[in-house]
Structure formats: structure tokens, C-alpha cells
Amino acid sequence: MTRVALALVHHPVLDRDGAVVTTAITNLDLHDMARSARTYGVGELFVVHPIEAQRLLASRIQEHWVEGSGKRRIPDRAVAMEVLCVVPALDDVYSALGGRDAIEVWTTAAAARAPGVTTYAEARARLEKSERPVLILFGTGWGLSGPLVASADVCIEPIRARGDTGYNHLSVRAACAITLDRLLG
Amino acid sequence: MTRVALALVHHPVLDRDGAVVTTAITNLDLHDMARSARTYGVGELFVVHPIEAQRLLASRIQEHWVEGSGKRRIPDRAVAMEVLCVVPALDDVYSALGGRDAIEVWTTAAAARAPGVTTYAEARARLEKSERPVLILFGTGWGLSGPLVASADVCIEPIRARGDTGYNHLSVRAACAITLDRLLG
């Protein structure tokens, strides 16, 4: 089975006007995405944030649940929060996985701006036979910056319902859960 | 297409010791589940809470996004939060949908305790041909009370990964997103 890792990216991401910004850590992103990762057998969720105080916040949340009183209250949560790995930049994620050239970087929610969009069915088939670890990037805010999307090896299609509902604004927590289910469910 | 509605139930649900309790409203439950509902074309998300102060909280959150300054800042969120309908009890949900006998009530994450568990594939097929509206219940805390699960018309199997990961503790936000994707994606 191909090794899969996730990265929750807080920079470089877009705001609603399309400007590149850094977003704040959201507590429930860490909980929900760690629980979803663990449910689907993903061993690493990298939390990428360039600001030290924000990384410290994420690390303290993790410690509370993995070693602190949170673990005594809800032991299952410790098993999930262990998958978190807090780092300053995507380069640190690449290094941890063996280097940018040793892995495949995938993005999700690719809009028409991406030249070659991969369907979920194609991505699932590719995942089954990939010999390199696959890193799936999830952008906070209004999504990953354009250059970051363009640098990915695979851009997966946006998540849509069977019928056309005219609405596609899932939370990153929901998008991550659905993506893992479609690829590994 | 069959009419589908969701209910986020705060009572009667279980705590981690199996006792029946009432849980607190979680802000991001409302946002995430409303956004997921809207993405999959579900027009109603009932928020069921027996305590008036908690219902007031949910209604104020909704107003902020549907009519207040939240709408001006993120208009897309208003479209999602419109699906919320805050009520005291499940009986109010049944009445709003035409009465308990006029609908099918489905539950999710059914464990071995339920006698007849329905797979997602069966549930999807059933949904396509159901002539009655389908109400899907989501429990907060450690899940819906036993009698409530037993009274449902359909108990859908737990969400699992393809491989056995030995872990199945998704957030209700993630479970709702995956369920909608499996039934309507």
C-alpha cells in the first residue's frame, strides 16, 4: 500500500480577494483531520505554519491530547492526535518524506485554472500503484496559492454532488474527509 | 429525486459511559454540516436541542450569517446557513416533514447493536426510489440513544476504510460529509 501523508497549509493560501495570506490555526481542523486521517490509515498530518507562536499553539493542543489530561479523558483522541507533525514550511514536509523528488504532491479542489485535472477514480487507481509516497495538500482560507497548485504532480477535480446543486463551498474538514473516503474508503 | 433532510441531535445521545445526556451546541457543527448539506442539495438541517438558551445560541449564529454582518463578509455562507432549522425535539422535525409515518428515518454509524444493518450501496439505491422524504439523524456526543436507533427505519453501516485501520472515531462533521457523499455524491 502506498504511503499517504496529508498537509494542512496555512501559507501560501488565498484570501477571498485572491491575495496570498497566512491563515490562523483552527483547533477543530487539527482534531477532525487527525481523526479522519487515522480512520483511513494515514499516519502523518503535517500542520504547516510559518509563525512560531501559531506552531506553538498547535503543538500545545497536540500535547494536551497525546500526553496531557485530554488523553486520560478521551484515550481514542490521543491515537488520532499522534499523527500531527507541526512544521514551518512545505520544504520541511518534503524533507521528512525523503525530498520533493522522492514523492508525489497532490492537490484537491482544482478549479478550471489547473491545466490537467485528475478525476477521483483516476487518482484512486494511481494511488494503488504509486511507488512513491503521496502527499495530499489541503489549503485553508480560500485555497492554495496558484503557483503551489501549478507545482503539484496531480490536481484532483473539485468535489461535486451527483446533481448540479450550484454550490461547492465545503469546509476543509469536510473536504478532507470526503477525499480520504473517495481515495481510501 | 427523494427529498432528504438532516437532523443534528443533541438529545437523547450517549456520553462515553453510555448514559443518556444532552450535549452542547458546537458552532462549527452548524457551519460544516450546513455547507455539506447545501453542497449535496439537502435543503434542511434541523438542529435539535431541548434547552431554550442553546436554541437561542444556534439561532443567533444563523442570523449573523443569514442576515447580519457575516452575510456581507461571506455571502456564500448565508446560502448554506439558510438550511438550518432550530427545534426543541425530534417530534418537531417529524411534524415539519409531514409526520413520523410520512417519512423514513435513517441513522448512521450503526454498530452491531442494531439487528439489520444496511450498507451504503443499499441505502443509496433505496434513496433513489423512496417515495417518502428521508430524514437522516446524526448524533452528537457518543452517538444516538439505543431506543432512538432501534426506532429508525434504516440503520446504515459504520463508515470504514477499505483496509482495516482499527480506528473509527470520525467527528460528526466528517461523518456527515462522507455520508452525504456516499449517498448523493
Side-chain angles (χ1 to χ4, degrees):
Chain A
M1 191 68 197
T2 303
R3 176 182 179 190
V4 178
L6 311 180
L8 177 66
V9 180
H10 297 83
H11 178 89
V13 295
L14 304 178
D15 69 7
R16 71 200 128 115
D17 299 319
V20 173
V21 295
T22 301
T23 57
I25 297 273
T26 297
N27 179 37
L28 278 188
D29 285 355
L30 309 186
H31 283 266
D32 282 19
M33 291 176 68
R35 293 165 75 178
S36 294
R38 191 70 187 74
T39 296
Y40 288 93
V42 171
E44 291 150 306
L45 166 58
F46 292 92
V47 179
V48 183
H49 208 296
I51 298 173
E52 187 178 3
Q54 284 280 295
R55 291 197 302 275
L56 195 59
L57 171 65
S59 295
R60 281 190 181 155
I61 292 170
Q62 182 180 24
E63 282 167 26
H64 172 78
W65 290 102
V66 172
E67 301 166 16
S69 59
K71 180 181 183 175
R72 290 191 293 280
R73 197 161 67 85
I74 309 181
D76 287 333
R77 195 60 56 86
V79 176
M81 296 297 266
E82 279 171 2
V83 306
L84 296 184
C85 183
V86 185
V87 297
L90 270 174
D91 280 343
D92 300 293
V93 180
Y94 301 153
S95 298
L97 296 172
R100 175 66 183 85
D101 294 340
I103 64 175
E104 288 197 8
V105 176
W106 293 14
T107 63
T108 58
R113 59 182 167 161
V117 165
T118 303
T119 67
Y120 271 97
E122 290 165 349
R124 186 176 172 114
R126 181 169 177 146
L127 189 61
E128 283 179 13
K129 59 176 193 249
S130 175
E131 292 175 1
R132 293 186 287 173
V134 169
L135 172 67
I136 309 176
L137 307 182
F138 290 94
T140 53
W142 269 249
L144 301 166
S145 77
L148 186 50
V149 171
S151 75
D153 302 305
V154 169
C155 298
I156 310 178
E157 64 183 331
I159 294 167
R160 288 205 183 88
R162 189 172 27 172
D164 178 19
T165 64
Y167 192 88
N168 175 23
H169 301 282
L170 294 167
S171 71
V172 71
R173 301 167 290 279
C176 174
I178 293 167
T179 294
L180 289 175
D181 190 58
R182 289 188 177 189
L183 295 178
L184 300 165
Chain B
M1 191 69 198
T2 304
R3 178 181 177 190
V4 177
L6 311 180
L8 177 66
V9 180
H10 297 83
H11 177 90
V13 296
L14 305 177
D15 70 6
R16 69 201 130 117
D17 299 319
V20 174
V21 295
T22 300
T23 57
I25 297 274
T26 297
N27 178 37
L28 279 189
D29 285 356
L30 309 187
H31 283 265
D32 283 19
M33 291 176 67
R35 293 166 74 179
S36 294
R38 192 67 187 75
T39 296
Y40 288 94
V42 171
E44 290 150 308
L45 166 58
F46 292 92
V47 179
V48 183
H49 207 297
I51 299 174
E52 187 179 3
Q54 285 279 294
R55 291 197 302 277
L56 196 58
L57 170 65
S59 296
R60 281 190 181 157
I61 291 170
Q62 182 180 23
E63 282 166 25
H64 172 77
W65 290 102
V66 172
E67 301 167 17
S69 58
K71 179 180 184 176
R72 288 191 294 280
R73 197 160 67 84
I74 309 181
D76 287 333
R77 196 62 55 87
V79 176
M81 297 297 265
E82 279 171 1
V83 306
L84 295 184
C85 183
V86 185
V87 297
L90 270 172
D91 280 342
D92 300 293
V93 181
Y94 301 152
S95 298
L97 296 171
R100 175 66 183 85
D101 295 340
I103 63 174
E104 290 198 5
V105 175
W106 294 13
T107 64
T108 58
R113 59 183 166 158
V117 165
T118 303
T119 66
Y120 271 96
E122 290 165 350
R124 187 177 172 111
R126 180 168 177 146
L127 189 60
E128 283 179 13
K129 59 177 193 250
S130 174
E131 291 175 3
R132 293 186 287 172
V134 168
L135 171 68
I136 309 176
L137 307 182
F138 291 93
T140 54
W142 268 250
L144 301 166
S145 78
L148 185 50
V149 172
S151 74
D153 302 304
V154 169
C155 298
I156 310 180
E157 64 183 329
I159 293 167
R160 286 203 185 90
R162 189 169 29 169
D164 178 19
T165 64
Y167 191 88
N168 175 21
H169 302 282
L170 293 168
S171 70
V172 71
R173 299 167 290 281
C176 173
I178 293 168
T179 294
L180 289 176
D181 190 57
R182 288 188 177 190
L183 296 178
L184 299 166

